[in-house]
Amino acid sequence: MTDAPLLDLMLARRSAPVLTEPGPTRAELARILAAAGTVPDHGSLRPFRFVVVEGEGRAAFGDALAETAAERRPGMPAAGLEKIRAKAFRSPTLIAVIASPRNDKIERWEQHATAACAGYAVVLAAHALGVGANWKSVPFTRGAALSRVLGLSAEEEMFGWIHLGRASDETAPAPRAPLALADFASVLDGSGARRAFDEG
């Protein structure tokens, strides 16, 4: 623990492998989704949107996942399609994360980066409220069925979905190993040379 509670919260976040009822309340969902408004966003475009999936909506989402898999991978066995459909039922609530570019003046990759940050903000906000979260995806992000149920325009793309529910202490993953900063960060000096980041 440090003297920075927010940093402690971020460092402690882990994806919850098992999520059960109840899902987040409407008030919790509102706070979780509102966190997306804080992410870095060139041009303040907010190039993302979300679709909340719960209750019977999970069946529609699961069907769309399976139909899209069948569309993209003809010949997939029925058992494989059912396994993909079942992904929609691994938590009481899901939030589909959708990149929704707003204009062509800001680079598309920047808008996609903002949408990805929005998804992370949702995950982090859930963690802050004590709601378990787990971001999942599939190899395919577009298809006729997914476009239909999520209302995807030609410019939009699903960046996966976030499972939300109550995490069990018994299934909590072990703490993540600290990042070896020298392996991932370097320092550029005035001569143009780079050296490994030194924590000291």
Side-chain angles (χ1 to χ4, degrees):
M1 298 293 287
T2 71
D3 58 356
L6 179 57
L7 182 57
D8 289 336
L9 179 82
M10 294 177 68
L11 293 173
R13 192 212 67 79
R14 294 299 309 275
S15 294
V18 179
L19 295 166
T20 59
E21 297 281 358
T25 65
R26 266 295 175 275
E28 287 174 328
L29 272 175
R31 295 181 73 190
I32 288 168
L33 293 171
T38 69
V39 302
D41 182 7
H42 185 187
S44 299
L45 300 178
R46 294 188 169 169
F48 51 81
R49 65 183 180 87
F50 305 103
V51 176
V52 177
V53 181
E54 54 192 357
E56 294 181 1
R58 293 178 298 171
F61 183 64
D63 288 344
L65 287 176
E67 288 176 41
T68 301
E71 174 188 335
R72 298 292 296 275
R73 295 182 176 177
M76 180 179 284
L81 294 176
E82 182 54 35
K83 186 175 180 180
I84 288 174
R85 183 181 184 278
K87 292 177 182 292
F89 297 92
R90 292 182 179 172
S91 67
T93 304
L94 297 78
I95 298 178
V97 180
I98 299 168
S100 184
R102 303 301 186 192
N103 68 34
D104 295 326
K105 294 182 179 179
I106 306 299
E107 293 286 344
R108 185 61 55 91
W109 74 263
E110 289 191 72
Q111 297 188 58
H112 280 184
T114 292
C117 286
Y120 177 63
V122 165
V123 170
L124 194 59
H127 176 60
L129 293 178
V131 176
N134 195 336
W135 193 341
K136 291 293 187 179
S137 64
V138 284
F140 43 85
T141 57
R142 291 194 58 83
L146 276 176
S147 294
R148 183 179 69 252
V149 300
L150 299 178
L152 298 177
S153 72
E155 299 297 315
E156 293 182 322
E157 185 173 351
M158 181 185 74
F159 275 15
W161 62 91
I162 298 165
H163 286 291
L164 298 173
R166 304 301 160 180
S168 166
D169 291 338
E170 288 75 21
T171 59
R176 194 185 303 270
L179 198 64
L181 297 182
D183 294 338
F184 295 93
S186 59
V187 178
L188 182 66
D189 66 22
S191 70
R194 288 181 296 107
R195 56 181 172 77
F197 181 84
D198 181 0
E199 298 183 52

